[in-house]
Amino acid sequence: MRRSVELQIITEALQKMGPHAPATRIWGRAPGANSDMAAEGNVWAGEPHDIALHIVTRLYGEQKAEPLSPLAQAEDAKRARDLVGEVGILMSAGADLESAPWHPVRPGDLVHVHYETAGTAATFGETYQIAAGRHGFLSMQLLAHTLPTDVDPGGMVGCFAVEDDPDPLMELWFEAGPHRLTIVRDGRPVHIGGAR
């Protein structure tokens, strides 16, 4: 996320350079080139975004792609007609959840999920609270979210709330992915998925 902000700042700065802003292409002379601009290799040109991306990559290294949720990984394997891979991904994700030292969740736990910008949907977060259900299982109810009230693409806010579920975290773990979750128990984080 931070690199994308820096990339945007550098791109905007490059676009505002020179007397003909906003720049759509930036031209330059190769270091050590003489005044003969026509000589091959003396002149270069580039798009502001491409130059900014080059600068950010030189400063911070390659930006790694965000991990996919277990469900998205399984869907990729399914599209590739890799049944063994698909089943393996789903089984592994379930085993990762069930073997976590804080699992199962318990009443009072807070579960926060972070959503990155996707299409026209803004970056936002939701916090759910785990509570005892009416029939012996657990419920997970939406406690708060950071999406503006006038923006909710397709009723997404609160979609992971569940009533009386033996494992209320399962669907969220598979669909959003453990890398997007932070779980807090007794005021202390027990799972920080965004930590790298």
Side-chain angles (χ1 to χ4, degrees):
M1 177 69 179
R2 179 180 167 159
R3 289 184 191 165
S4 64
V5 170
E6 291 161 341
L7 177 61
Q8 181 181 356
I9 291 168
I10 294 169
T11 300
E12 289 173 0
L14 291 171
Q15 289 171 336
K16 294 177 182 174
M17 285 182 66
H20 305 293
T24 56
R25 282 187 78 67
I26 297 176
W27 300 82
R29 188 184 311 184
N34 60 26
S35 62
D36 182 11
M37 296 295 284
E40 183 151 345
N42 285 351
V43 178
W44 60 267
E47 304 289 326
H49 176 77
D50 295 339
I51 296 169
L53 186 59
H54 176 75
I55 292 168
V56 168
T57 301
R58 292 294 304 262
L59 287 172
Y60 304 105
E62 290 289 327
Q63 189 161 359
K64 294 180 174 66
E66 171 132 355
L68 296 175
S69 70
L71 189 60
Q73 291 176 41
E75 288 171 354
D76 284 349
K78 184 176 185 176
R79 277 190 290 279
R81 298 179 185 256
D82 179 6
L83 180 61
V84 173
E86 178 185 2
V87 171
I89 290 165
L90 295 173
M91 290 181 66
S92 177
D96 289 345
L97 173 59
E98 291 171 359
S99 67
W102 46 263
H103 187 269
V105 290
R106 59 186 187 209
D109 286 355
L110 297 175
V111 179
H112 181 79
V113 59
H114 171 80
Y115 301 99
E116 288 292 338
T117 302
T120 59
T123 298
F124 76 102
E126 294 179 307
T127 302
Y128 292 88
Q129 182 172 22
I130 305 295
R134 292 183 185 159
H135 304 291
F137 293 116
L138 295 172
S139 295
M140 186 167 73
Q141 298 303 315
L142 180 66
L143 187 62
H145 67 87
T146 60
L147 193 65
T149 54
D150 61 335
V151 181
D152 186 5
M156 185 172 172
V157 171
C159 68
F160 290 108
V162 295
E163 289 287 339
D164 272 329
D165 191 304
D167 196 342
L169 192 58
M170 185 73 72
E171 185 177 3
L172 186 56
W173 184 268
F174 276 80
E175 288 194 28
H179 62 285
R180 294 189 181 277
L181 303 180
T182 301
I183 300 167
V184 177
R185 175 171 291 158
D186 301 327
R188 295 186 181 267
V190 293
H191 174 79
I192 304 173
R196 289 192 167 84

